[in-house]
Amino acid sequence: MSPEAIHQQQRLADPPETALEPVPEPDTDPAASAADESGATRRRGARALVAALAVVALAAGGVAVFQYVRAHAPRPVDGGTPPWPVPADPLPGIRAAGLTHGPMGHAEHYHAHLSVFVDGDEVEVPADIGIVGEEMSPLHTHDNRGVIHVEPHTKGEVFTLGQLFKQWGVTLSASRLGSLRTDAGHTLTAAVNGVPVTGDPAAVVVKAHEQISLVYGKPDPSFKAPSTFTFKPDE
């Protein structure tokens, strides 16, 4: 076979060359790049905001759970330490105070005010002490201002501060306020209209428009219990 024929056969046997696909040039439009970066920034900001809101929601949920658990936890027999919410079941306290519950009494209707201080801080006197649904004992509270309502069915009945505290589920004596006890560094004092009262504060009689104060903590001569309270016009 001639050299020309051999060369012709080799050319026919070689595969045809394949043209390479052109590679697209990257988009270098500055406006498009800026738009993409701005969108990415917004997305990162949105994700950060969602994460922050989630943290806040979890924290709020934790506080709510803590408050719920505290409110529904078994209370010590003496009431424990403040704050002192009303008992979940008010009936044992009403009975322990020697009182009964029923419709509001109309023989008398007057009010006194109670202030409680522990270590210099005022403790809330809660609403609904002595209240059972739509019924109530003759000695009770309707709100958290510390106003004590006296509404008996018989005129001339005498009610004491100790009876209110029994309904509240908080121990009160000359040496006890809930689980707080007097000792060498802590005292419990009582005053009516700013005048100190000796003896057992539980024996203080609740009278119309009197300001009753209980003060527990380290003795502080500079602290003065309130001597008056501004009642509403209809109180």
Side-chain angles (χ1 to χ4, degrees):
M1 183 178 293
S2 65
E4 291 80 1
I6 293 172
H7 181 68
Q8 182 67 26
Q9 287 182 351
Q10 288 176 344
R11 290 180 59 189
L12 292 173
D14 290 339
E17 294 183 0
T18 303
L20 295 176
E21 291 290 333
V23 177
E25 290 292 330
D27 186 2
T28 58
D29 183 357
S33 298
D36 289 344
E37 181 62 26
S38 177
T41 300
R42 287 196 298 270
R43 289 192 292 275
R44 287 194 296 271
R47 288 195 293 269
L49 177 60
V50 169
L53 291 174
V55 171
V56 171
L58 286 172
V63 171
V65 169
F66 173 79
Q67 292 175 338
Y68 178 87
V69 170
R70 182 184 177 97
H72 291 78
R75 293 182 61 175
V77 175
D78 58 14
T81 57
W84 293 299
V86 293
D89 181 3
L91 291 177
I94 292 174
R95 297 189 186 106
L99 303 173
T100 58
H101 68 283
M104 181 176 64
H106 296 285
E108 291 184 289
H109 188 181
Y110 57 91
H111 308 88
H113 184 262
L114 172 65
S115 299
V116 181
F117 299 92
V118 172
D119 294 328
D121 296 323
E122 187 163 9
V123 177
E124 179 181 275
V125 179
D128 297 333
I129 297 175
I131 301 289
V132 186
E134 298 298 320
E135 298 183 333
M136 62 199 71
S137 83
L139 186 70
H140 56 270
T141 65
H142 285 293
D143 55 34
N144 61 358
R145 294 182 299 132
V147 175
I148 304 170
H149 293 246
V150 181
E151 302 172 56
H153 291 279
T154 304
K155 191 172 182 178
E157 287 191 70
V158 176
F159 302 96
T160 65
L161 191 60
Q163 288 177 297
L164 182 76
F165 272 77
K166 284 186 181 297
Q167 294 180 101
W168 193 357
V170 179
T171 294
L172 178 62
S173 69
S175 60
R176 296 278 300 278
L177 179 60
S179 63
L180 305 175
R181 297 173 180 267
T182 59
D183 54 31
H186 298 81
T187 60
L188 174 61
T189 59
V192 175
N193 296 334
V195 179
V197 175
T198 59
D200 188 351
V204 171
V205 175
V206 178
K207 297 180 181 179
H209 285 185
E210 286 191 332
Q211 164 61 42
I212 304 170
S213 303
L214 294 176
V215 182
Y216 173 87
K218 297 179 180 179
D220 181 3
S222 66
F223 182 86
K224 302 298 181 184
S227 59
T228 61
F229 176 77
T230 304
F231 293 91
K232 292 180 179 180
D234 58 348
E235 291 178 334

